[in-house]
Amino acid sequence: MTATPETERDHGRGRGPAGSGRATLAVGVVLALGPLLLAVVGPALVPLVDQPRAAPYSSADGHPFGTDQLGRDVLAMTLAGGRSMLVLAAVATVAAYTLGIALGAAAAATRRRWLDDLLSRPLDILLAVPSLLILLLVATLTDRGAGMVVLVVALVNAPAIARIVRAVGLDALRSPAAEAMHLQGERWVVVTIGHLVRVARRPLLADLGARITAAVYLVGAANFLGVGLPPTAADWAVAVDRNRAGLLLQPWAVLLPAVLIVLFTVGVNLCADTLTRRRR
C-alpha cells in the first residue's frame, strides 16, 4: 500500500516526541557527564598543568586562564575543585532520600492518626523555613565544615521527599495489591518499603533532578557564604565567591567554575525530565 502524505505525517508525529526525547536525553547526558568526569579525573591532572604562583588576577605566561586572588593557576584550581562540591552534594542527596523515604513510609504505613501527625507536622514546619536561614542558623550553633553542610542539605531536602512518599503511600499501602501481599505472608518490611518504593519510583525519579540541583545550590551557597569549606580550598563554589572581586580583571577565575556548575545542574534536570516522560 502506498503511503499517503497524511499517513506519513501521522507517522512523523509518532516518531517526533520519541526522537526529541532521545535528543534531549543525549544533550543532558553530555552536559552532566562533562563536569562530572572533570571532577573525577581532574585532581589527577593538576600536576600536569599547575604552574608556580604569579601575581593575583594576572594573565602571565603558562597560565592559559590566568590566576586567581592568591596567584594560583585557575585551570589547576578548576580541575581540583569539582570533586569536593559534587561529592558533598551526592552524599547529602543520598542522606536526604534515605531520611525522607523512611519518614514518609512510616507516616503512610501507620494507622494511628496521632503518629502520622507527629511525623508529618514537623516536616511541614521545616518546609516553610527558608533553606538559607536553616543553613546559617545551624552554622552558628555547630562547627562549620563539610559534615555540617551535608547535615543541613539532607535536613532541608528530606521533608519534601517524605511528603511525596507519604502521599503516594497512603493509597498504595491500602490498595488491593498490598492487602494481597499481606495475605500471602509477605513481611511487613517488604510490603511497606518494597511495594512503596516500587510505586513511588516515578515521582521520586521526577524529583531527583530538582533535588540534586537543590543540593548543589545549597552546598555552593554554604561554601559561598563561608560556612562550609575553608576560603582557600580548591572548590568551584569557593572559587566563584573568592574571585568575584576580580571579575573585571580576570573573569575566567569566576566564569570557568560557574559555567561547570550550571552545565551539571542543567544536564541532570534534562536527564531526569526525559526519563520521567519515557516511563509514563
Side-chain angles (χ1 to χ4, degrees):
M1 184 178 67
T2 304
T4 64
E6 288 75 10
T7 57
E8 290 178 351
R9 284 197 296 271
D10 291 342
H11 291 167
R13 292 189 191 104
R15 291 192 300 268
S20 174
R22 285 192 293 271
T24 304
L25 180 61
V27 172
V29 169
V30 171
L31 292 181
L33 275 184
L36 188 61
L37 288 176
L38 194 64
V40 172
V41 304
L45 302 177
V46 170
L48 301 178
V49 300
D50 197 12
Q51 297 292 329
R53 294 195 180 193
Y57 303 125
S58 72
S59 300
D61 292 340
H63 300 282
F65 293 95
T67 59
D68 64 3
Q69 88 281 11
L70 297 177
R72 301 173 298 185
D73 185 77
V74 169
L75 179 58
M77 297 305 295
T78 303
L79 290 173
R83 184 177 293 180
S84 59
M85 183 174 182
L86 297 187
V87 166
L88 288 180
V91 172
T93 303
V94 171
Y97 272 98
T98 303
L99 180 60
I101 290 175
L103 291 174
T110 183
R111 296 182 183 275
R112 295 178 175 83
R113 180 63 182 271
W114 65 267
L115 183 55
D116 183 13
D117 291 339
L118 183 64
L119 294 171
S120 302
R121 297 294 83 84
L123 300 179
D124 295 339
I125 296 174
L126 200 56
L127 274 174
V129 181
S131 56
L132 288 180
L133 180 60
I134 298 175
L135 177 66
L136 293 175
L137 180 62
V138 175
T140 58
L141 299 176
T142 62
D143 294 334
R144 302 178 179 184
M148 183 276 296
V149 174
V150 171
L151 174 64
V152 171
V153 175
L155 289 177
V156 166
N157 285 291
I161 299 169
R163 284 180 65 99
I164 294 174
V165 175
R166 178 182 176 274
V168 175
L170 287 176
D171 292 331
L173 295 180
R174 291 163 179 75
S175 66
E179 295 296 336
M181 294 174 72
H182 280 298
L183 293 176
Q184 291 173 359
E186 292 286 358
R187 291 181 299 173
W188 181 87
V189 173
V190 175
V191 178
T192 303
I193 302 297
H195 180 60
L196 181 55
V197 170
R198 185 164 59 251
V199 174
R201 66 184 186 279
R202 289 182 181 177
L204 288 179
L205 179 61
D207 178 72
L208 179 62
R211 207 56 52 200
I212 291 178
T213 301
V216 171
Y217 163 73
L218 275 176
V219 171
N223 296 336
F224 188 84
L225 294 172
V227 297
L229 298 176
T232 58
D235 180 86
W236 290 347
V238 173
V240 173
D241 173 42
R242 296 303 169 184
N243 294 311
R244 57 196 168 98
L247 181 62
L248 298 180
L249 298 174
Q250 184 49 266
W252 287 116
V254 173
L255 292 180
L256 210 53
V259 167
L260 290 170
I261 295 172
V262 171
L263 291 179
F264 178 76
T265 54
V266 171
V268 169
N269 275 284
L270 285 177
C271 292
D273 289 346
T274 307
L275 291 175
T276 304
R277 289 173 184 169
R278 293 177 69 175
R279 287 176 177 270
R280 288 174 184 171

